[in-house]
Amino acid sequence: RKGDLFLSVIEPTYRKTSAIDWLLGFAWTVAGILVGWLIYKGITKWIDYRKSSGDDFVAPILTGLMVPAVILFVVLGIAIGSAKIYMHPALSTFRWNIIEAAMVLAGVYLAVSVIELLCLGIRRTFYGEDDPYAKMMSLVLRRSLRVIATVVLLLFVFQNVFKWNVTALIGGFSIIALALSLAAQDAVKNLFGALTIFANRPFIKGDWVKFAGQTGQVEDVSLQVTQIRLLSGEVLSVPNMQFIDSVVENMSMRKYLRRIMDVQITYDTPSSKVNEAIEILNDILTSEPVVSDGKANLDTHPPQVWFEKFGSHYLNLRADYWYM
């Protein structure tokens, strides 16, 4: 009513709080932020040092502890600084709700970090560091955990911190949820496409693939899209649902590469010379420099050289040979 209610809540804070209390509150708040910033900088430098020394185990642990520690000290500084400031009961309740929500955020982040470290430890213990499929599965699992933790955190804060009726809130948004579910059909299809990729393993991160006439290297497989770095340099983002009923050619899974060479000789070449040319080509393709360069296996895939056809003005000799 013309701002009277707002003034009755805010005005006592300025009237009943001394200048010294304001100064102490500001000092404690700045101190908390400064300590948090120093912790962030110190742990970041420590992480860079451990990575430069080849230690990739401590870095994830420090990363998981850094954010909760920063939140803890910043909130602690704000809580101590605001303790001497007079607040209306409504403001005081809201203040403690914000502090509690921040503490819950730090705790959830710490819990998610611990679970991610467990996933990382299990992957390294049972699959090793060089398994690309395990790396991809670990990355997707960690991303999924973050999404689930975020949703649980929001529901907890709304229900227990701000005292909202989450059940009534969800029921009130049922129509909107139905509309969103209809609109999010493609997102659900992309999610199932991601599950199909993880189950059937048509490719993994780092593979060279050919899809829809484009050739490139798989850079990332997320829950919605797969990013492919094309030979021309661009990144092609493909919705995962397209891999359900489309053909993907994985060039990294091939065990050998066949090459075809055509040698054209003139029409007046006698048959004896043609046979000699075939023998010369076969000797070249079975020679030690060529075999060692291509790591060829002459027992399973020996080179094939033959007279193929009469061209318009030449005789065509074809040579097929394999690189392993």
Side-chain angles (χ1 to χ4, degrees):
R1 296 184 180 180
K2 297 182 180 181
D4 292 338
L5 180 60
F6 178 77
L7 289 177
S8 66
V9 174
I10 300 297
E11 190 267 340
T13 301
Y14 296 95
R15 182 165 49 85
K16 297 183 178 182
T17 304
S18 64
I20 297 179
D21 291 337
W22 280 111
L23 184 60
L24 289 175
F26 178 77
W28 276 105
T29 302
V30 172
I33 297 175
L34 181 61
V35 172
W37 181 77
L38 291 176
I39 291 175
Y40 172 78
K41 285 296 184 180
I43 295 181
T44 302
K45 289 184 178 180
W46 196 5
I47 291 173
D48 295 337
Y49 170 74
R50 301 302 299 182
K51 287 183 177 179
S52 63
S53 61
D55 185 1
D56 56 351
F57 181 75
V58 178
I61 299 177
L62 296 176
T63 303
L65 296 176
M66 178 174 61
V67 176
V70 171
I71 295 176
L72 176 64
F73 279 95
V74 171
V75 174
L76 189 62
I78 296 175
I80 296 176
S82 61
K84 288 292 186 178
I85 298 176
Y86 177 83
M87 290 187 180
H88 187 275
L91 288 180
S92 180
T93 302
F94 184 74
R95 165 178 169 268
W96 283 111
N97 288 341
I98 294 297
I99 293 175
E100 184 180 359
M103 292 298 182
V104 171
L105 173 62
V108 170
Y109 193 96
L110 182 62
V112 172
S113 300
V114 171
I115 296 176
E116 289 183 355
L117 289 174
L118 289 176
C119 295
L120 184 62
I122 292 173
R123 175 174 67 82
R124 291 181 175 179
T125 302
F126 294 98
Y127 297 96
E129 187 64 27
D130 299 328
D131 192 334
Y133 183 71
K135 286 184 177 180
M136 186 175 68
M137 286 294 297
S138 175
L139 180 61
V140 172
L141 180 60
R142 288 157 59 188
R143 289 175 176 174
S144 303
L145 286 174
R146 291 173 187 171
V147 174
I148 295 174
T150 301
V151 174
V152 173
L153 172 64
L154 291 176
L155 293 177
F156 179 84
V157 170
F158 290 153
Q159 180 76 37
N160 297 282
V161 178
F162 296 108
K163 309 302 179 183
W164 290 9
N165 191 339
V166 176
T167 305
L169 186 65
I170 296 176
F173 282 105
S174 59
I175 297 178
I176 299 178
L178 177 60
L180 290 176
S181 64
L182 294 175
Q185 289 183 6
D186 289 342
V188 176
K189 292 180 180 178
N190 290 329
L191 180 59
F192 277 101
L195 296 178
T196 302
I197 293 174
F198 301 141
N200 298 330
R201 299 176 65 176
F203 53 79
I204 59 178
K205 182 180 178 181
D207 282 354
W208 284 89
V209 297
K210 184 180 293 183
F211 177 76
Q214 301 281 1
T215 302
Q217 187 178 27
V218 179
E219 282 203 341
D220 187 31
V221 181
S222 64
L223 296 178
Q224 290 296 315
V225 297
T226 296
Q227 293 183 339
I228 302 174
R229 175 75 64 176
L230 302 180
L231 291 174
S232 54
E234 298 90 346
V235 175
L236 180 67
S237 296
V238 183
N240 290 331
M241 64 180 178
Q242 295 189 14
F243 295 110
I244 297 178
D245 53 2
S246 299
V247 178
V248 183
E249 182 180 350
N250 191 330
M251 295 181 292
S252 295
M253 294 182 67
R254 61 188 176 191
K255 297 181 179 180
Y256 52 82
L257 174 66
R258 186 190 69 170
R259 290 183 173 177
I260 300 175
M261 177 173 59
D262 291 320
V263 178
Q264 300 164 357
I265 56 180
T266 59
Y267 258 119
D268 57 356
T269 305
S271 59
S272 60
K273 291 292 185 180
V274 173
N275 291 328
E276 184 180 357
I278 293 175
E279 292 178 1
I280 292 174
L281 289 173
N282 191 71
D283 291 340
I284 292 174
L285 295 177
T286 55
S287 64
E288 179 60 26
V290 176
V291 172
S292 61
D293 178 65
K295 298 180 175 59
N297 190 337
L298 299 182
D299 294 331
T300 58
H301 293 85
Q304 304 291 333
V305 185
W306 71 93
F307 171 77
E308 184 187 31
K309 65 180 179 180
F310 293 93
S312 58
H313 55 281
Y314 58 87
L315 303 175
N316 192 74
L317 303 181
R318 173 171 167 170
D320 289 13
Y321 58 102
W322 285 263
Y323 275 8
M324 310 308 285

